[in-house]
Amino acid sequence: MDGLSEWPEHIVRVQTLSESGAALIPPRYIKPPADRPSPSSSSSSSDAGEPNIPIIDLNPARRASAASAVSAACRDWGFFQAVNHGVSSDLMRRSSDAWRAFFHLPMVDKLPYANSPATYEGYGSRLGVDKAAILDWGDYFFLHFYPLCLKSHAKWPALPPSLRGTVEEYGREVTELCRRVMGLLSLGLGLEERRLQEAFGGEDAGVCMRVNYYPRCPQPELTLGLSAHSDPGGITVLLPDGEVKGLQVRRGGGWVTVQPMADAFIINVGDQVQILSNAIYRSVEHRVAVNLEAERLSMAFFYNPKSDLPIGPLPELVGPTRPALYQSMTFDEYRLYIRKRGPRGKSQVKSLKTI
Ligand code: OGA
Ligand code: NI
């Protein structure tokens, strides 16, 4: 696919670097000073008074108030934390435990799943094929749930033995949650509940997941686990590490470190929902800081438009006072840009603007 079949150079697993015990990180991982995490935003242990993303109760019995809270959060922050979201905390814990066990397996058990930039499916250690790129301090595993032609249990880790069944169950439950959030986002735009879901292709919306594994880092002040980016897809449901902070969200000129709540999901708007909503909802940049003391594991679940549908501003949201801000493009076309270049802030959605 467009010359993206191989990585431009030998892949080094960040976990291997971390476990080597070296006191210095290789120069390839050192970010320019302006991109490094500021000590104040990543290490504060007293959280009192720090701004945090809105916390929203998704209990179906309070749908109208949930819709207005989700709408306000997605216009302002682009992010919220969801409680009472309907996914059992036991399933959340079993899923993250299974993935942690996978990343803790010996390298020989993980390397058969090594990925390529053609599809990104499997065990990976970089995003983008730009040979000169500065790399991020993280490994990951990427897999598909839907469409079924892309889903293959054989590509999912065989170990630990519980993983495939647990991931299957997790995929089903979190897909349900995504559909409900799409309904709330539609209501929050004054549209019929199914509107955004239909724009995504109805039942044919794409579903995939990236599990991020950020090993301990000897020089966390010089690098990032994941560079600043906005999510290219529709919406993202993130299960953050229960113990270790790291996710930072762009707010004004600075970065806010998210304080995860127990059993909550962090949900954010991606570029496709920003485009469909004609920029009423915002796909906000975020990044991940790493640390010296503890590894961090997060599960990012992506809910995307069917990949061959043109996605542009919904006609209901375009009018004389609010012209269409974007041209239509399929998600397949859109994603190719990011697969080549890796995480680059919001450069793509900006370049799409027609005015
Ligand atoms: C992502 C992402 C955040 C995290 O995978 O797109 O933003 O906390 N992850 O790992
Ligand atoms: Ni992201």
Side-chain angles (χ1 to χ4, degrees):
M1 184 212 223
D2 288 50
L4 289 183
S5 61
E6 291 302 328
W7 298 113
E9 56 209 326
H10 174 70
I11 289 292
V12 176
R13 304 294 164 184
V14 176
Q15 183 175 13
T16 306
L17 294 173
S18 174
E19 290 174 358
S20 76
L24 304 178
I25 64 175
R28 288 295 303 275
Y29 295 86
I30 300 179
K31 305 291 175 188
D35 294 346
R36 295 177 193 167
S38 55
S40 61
S41 60
S42 60
S43 64
S44 75
S45 51
S46 66
D47 308 330
E50 292 251 329
N52 198 4
I53 59 176
I55 295 161
I56 302 181
D57 185 343
L58 295 188
N59 185 339
R62 287 191 284 275
R63 206 175 59 133
S65 63
S68 63
V70 166
S71 174
C74 293
R75 289 166 195 246
D76 181 13
W77 286 82
F79 269 81
F80 64 93
Q81 286 200 66
V83 297
N84 282 326
H85 42 64
V87 180
S88 86
S89 51
D90 174 63
L91 177 58
M92 294 162 81
R93 189 185 41 73
R94 282 188 288 119
S95 305
S96 49
D97 286 353
W99 282 110
R100 209 178 281 277
F102 169 75
F103 284 104
H104 287 171
L105 289 171
M107 210 39 95
V108 294
D109 292 320
K110 292 179 293 214
L111 289 180
Y113 302 98
N115 74 352
S116 92
T119 65
Y120 278 88
E121 285 175 281
Y123 180 47
S125 295
R126 66 182 287 167
L127 298 168
V129 291
D130 180 356
K131 199 164 180 184
I134 300 174
L135 300 177
D136 289 341
W137 192 263
D139 299 327
Y140 61 86
F141 200 100
F142 180 69
L143 59 82
H144 288 284
F145 292 101
Y146 203 85
L148 294 179
C149 61
L150 295 181
K151 178 182 170 190
S152 162
H153 275 196
K155 293 183 187 165
W156 301 6
L159 294 174
S162 65
L163 186 139
R164 287 178 181 166
T166 306
V167 171
E168 183 71 30
E169 196 182 335
Y170 188 84
R172 235 181 359 251
E173 298 238 344
V174 183
T175 298
E176 261 322 295
L177 170 61
C178 289
R179 291 187 178 142
R180 284 201 287 126
V181 172
M182 293 286 283
L184 297 172
L185 288 168
S186 299
L187 294 172
L189 291 167
L191 303 170
E192 203 248 313
E193 187 170 4
R194 293 268 313 155
R195 187 67 182 96
L196 282 172
Q197 182 73 51
E198 273 157 13
F200 269 39
E203 304 298 295
D204 289 330
V207 184
C208 54
M209 175 164 84
R210 186 170 62 223
V211 183
N212 300 296
Y213 178 71
Y214 307 103
R216 294 181 340 144
C217 179
Q219 295 180 296
E221 66 288 354
L222 298 183
T223 191
L224 289 167
L226 189 52
S227 292
H229 66 284
S230 61
D231 291 345
I235 57 174
T236 304
V237 174
L238 182 85
L239 176 54
D241 194 295
E243 311 288 323
V244 183
K245 290 185 290 192
L247 175 63
Q248 303 183 335
V249 175
R250 168 85 80 188
R251 184 75 173 160
W255 295 92
V256 170
T257 299
V258 176
Q259 317 291 334
M261 283 183 62
D263 298 334
F265 283 113
I266 296 168
I267 300 185
N268 65 284
V269 169
D271 296 344
Q272 306 305 307
V273 164
Q274 173 170 322
I275 292 166
L276 282 164
S277 74
N278 203 18
I280 294 174
Y281 292 145
R282 301 174 53 219
S283 165
V284 169
E285 264 186 287
H286 50 286
R287 66 182 190 182
V288 175
V290 289
N291 77 82
L292 187 64
E293 293 88 24
E295 66 180 31
R296 179 171 181 275
L297 182 117
S298 72
M299 297 164 60
F301 193 91
F302 302 113
Y303 195 72
N304 300 328
K306 183 170 183 294
S307 66
D308 57 358
L309 294 178
I311 298 294
L314 292 173
E316 300 93 310
L317 304 176
V318 174
T321 56
R322 196 174 179 92
L325 292 170
Y326 312 100
Q327 286 163 347
S328 291
M329 190 189 270
T330 68
F331 185 48
D332 272 337
E333 291 164 341
Y334 193 87
R335 182 156 60 177
L336 201 53
Y337 176 102
I338 293 178
R339 292 196 163 173
K340 284 192 182 142
R341 293 172 184 79
R344 293 238 176 138
K346 289 208 58 169
S347 58
Q348 189 183 14
V349 85
K350 282 193 188 119
S351 71
L352 251 192
K353 281 209 183 194
T354 56
I355 56 164

